[in-house]
Amino acid sequence: MDRVSSFDEPLKKLLGGATAKVMAEHLDLHTVGDLLHHYPRRYEERGKLTALADLPLDEHVTVVAQVADARILMFNNGRGKRLEVTLTDGSGRLQLVFFGHGVHKPHKELLPGRQAMFAGKVSVFNRKMQLAHPTYQLLDASDADEATEAVDAFAGRLLPIYPACKQLDSWRIAKAVDAVLPSAQDAVDPLPASLREGRGFTPLPEALLKVHRPQTKADIEDAKARLKWDEAFVLQVALARRRYADTQLPAAARRPVADGLLDAFDAKLPFTLTEGQEKVSKEIFDDLATEHPMHRLLQGEVGSGKTMVALRAMLTVVDAGGQAAMLAPTEVLAQQHHRSITEMMGELAEGGMLGGSDRGTKVVLLTGSMGMAARRQALLDLVTGEAGIVIGTHALIEDKVQFHDLGLVVVDEQHRFGVEQRDALRSKGKQPPHLLVMTATPIPRTVAMTVFGDLETSVLDQLPAGRSPIASHVVPAKDKPHFLSRAWERVREEVENGHQAYVVCPRIGDDAEEAEGKGGKKAKAKKAAPEEDPEKRPPLAVLEIADELRKGALAGLSVEVLHGRMHPDDKDDVMRRFAAGDVDVLVATTVIEVGVNVPNATAMVIMDADRFGVSQLHQLRGRVGRGSAPGLCLLVSEAHEASPARARLSAVAATLDGFELSRIDLEQRREGDVLGQAQSGVRSSLRMLTVIDDEEVIAAAREEAVAVVAADPELEHLPELRTVLAALLDKDREEYLDKG
């Protein structure tokens, strides 16, 4: 058997069809290599067999005990059978129950006097502790030594507890691992020898042995250190090769032009750019001036001036004879960007029009809901090059849209945008255009290095002068209803002082939505009783809350609604009137989360705030305090004071630092959401590495990977690394990295 194929061996050859089928269907394990990389989640310590007297409720336990009694009982007029087995271990007694067809085997085997190991989840029935349908392993009483040995093997050392499923418990997985463990000797080691020796790592076969069958806690630490490095290093090599390949692609260099559009724009700015904006602009201009495509991620808190930086990059490209496209995730946001960019540019956005500047260019909007005539004109302006800047939704990606010379693509809020969509837009240039990805969601450095590892990162961390602080408070509506009344009074006070407010709800509340929702029509009908758990009732809805406020707490004020199911013209109309100050209170869903800019809005009340994620709350809060008056954000929740949901809200109220909050968010969601489906549609390849805790490992692995790829881009001298890389980057993930 050669070194690669033993890892590629299908599990059914070694474990039999039934076990292999469960492993494939429920744990996504198909080969020997998959199973060897299915690491224990934790380890039970030596002698940690639970005594029957100390069994914890609702936990999975392993016990060694003797059968005291076993009897079959009939129920349901003799149609049903139940086997009840009583165990004893000297410290206490425990009942086991088996039902239906599952009674035959244990009835034959679990005879009084037999000793066995049992594993299952402890529950209570008729005030007695019991295990229902436990798995068990008999211990041969005739051979005391053998029985002791089995117990020792099973429980007398660090017992690995594997991520399991209902159909296959941890110790069966452990037995399966025993069957494939000899193959660990054939592990292909991805780390170059110099790196392995330089960092003093355990050889890979030994690390696999130690992680599955540790003798000591030091074994576990050794193995983890090594296996984390492998994961981090292989992923970083994949990303470094992506970045290297990008540097080999051709792109038109777009260099700033003296006395062009950019200079004219800068000259009319009523304020000076922040130091951060200057620094990031320089990084972007340097990238644009090279003959391979820029791939840059621009992170910046809400209101840090990312749009300004992106606009200056777009103007540079227009100066250099190219076109720039800005992609927004929603129509509301595309319209907002179009409005704010044309306002910022003034007559410079009216190139070729009466009253326009001779140095100007056309700035066009392209969305799915535009009328035919306007759309036709926009398409024409793009193909002739008349329009230097286009702002739109994914409608920009359609086949019909042709550019004269696309030089730069700016993608706003990347995490709402599929990689395929970015790729489709990228293919519209004569050569690959430069790419700038913007996000207001602060991304911890480690995530930026993994999820966005093929992008260079720029961070805008200063707020422009004149931005006001935002005070945030949790309003416990259930424990202290008078706090909620006070919240509405505060909104009224803000309006009386000439300001405006947002009220955000998780749900729209129209019939169409309910029918589509999880609960079908029932969701509509279900009105929560006041004493009900807030988690059980439907989330509060825009239409209902707006109605209540108009009739009650905010009667007499102008209250309007905004949500995603409104006609685009109606949405735009409401936003215009709110921006103009004609609407006092806007009750909305999260459509206002990104990009909406109304400096006069100073207060925000978020209903059922515990239904939103940490980063989302931070985004929403960034909509207030955008002018000179201080902002106020009230997080209304019925969650219990001691609940994790309330802890999350308190964290949001306690800090305005988005990076700190993104760490909290990540700790709570762990990596699944961050690295898994959300980004690649492929199950995360990380088994041992945790993005939140292993920052140093990831940073060091990235450095090593960059050096390795720079010296040997094709990895010709590192065949083992190439083999492991090919296995990691199955087709889907390779495509994901390609498109990232």
Side-chain angles (χ1 to χ4, degrees), residues 438-554:
M438 301 198 296
T439 178
T441 307
I443 301 161
R445 179 165 161 261
T446 44
V447 180
M449 285 193 293
T450 42
V451 180
F452 301 104
D454 57 338
L455 299 169
E456 300 299 332
T457 306
S458 294
V459 179
L460 275 175
D461 46 14
Q462 294 168 281
L463 287 188
R467 286 300 297 267
S468 304
I470 305 169
S472 305
H473 304 284
V474 178
V475 177
K478 200 170 189 179
D479 315 340
K480 300 180 176 166
H482 60 286
F483 274 37
L484 183 57
S485 312
R486 177 71 190 118
W488 299 128
E489 280 171 27
R490 283 291 291 113
V491 169
R492 203 176 259 288
E493 285 163 18
E494 289 298 310
V495 172
E496 281 163 6
N497 288 332
H499 297 301
Q500 292 158 278
Y502 297 100
V503 176
V504 182
C505 303
R507 207 166 54 104
I508 298 173
D510 57 1
D511 289 342
E513 178 198 41
E514 304 309 337
E516 289 163 25
K518 287 182 200 155
K521 292 217 162 64
K522 288 181 189 156
K524 181 73 178 166
K526 186 179 180 318
K527 267 292 198 190
E531 69 280 76
E532 253 184 36
D533 174 3
E535 285 299 320
K536 299 284 190 292
R537 65 160 169 74
L540 294 171
V542 166
L543 301 176
E544 287 157 23
I545 292 290
D547 211 37
E548 281 173 31
L549 292 175
R550 283 187 193 113
K551 290 175 184 160
L554 302 182

Side-chain angles (χ1 to χ4, degrees), residues 640-651:
H640 188 272
E641 195 167 356
S643 66
R646 272 286 283 281
R648 232 176 29 233
L649 295 182
S650 301

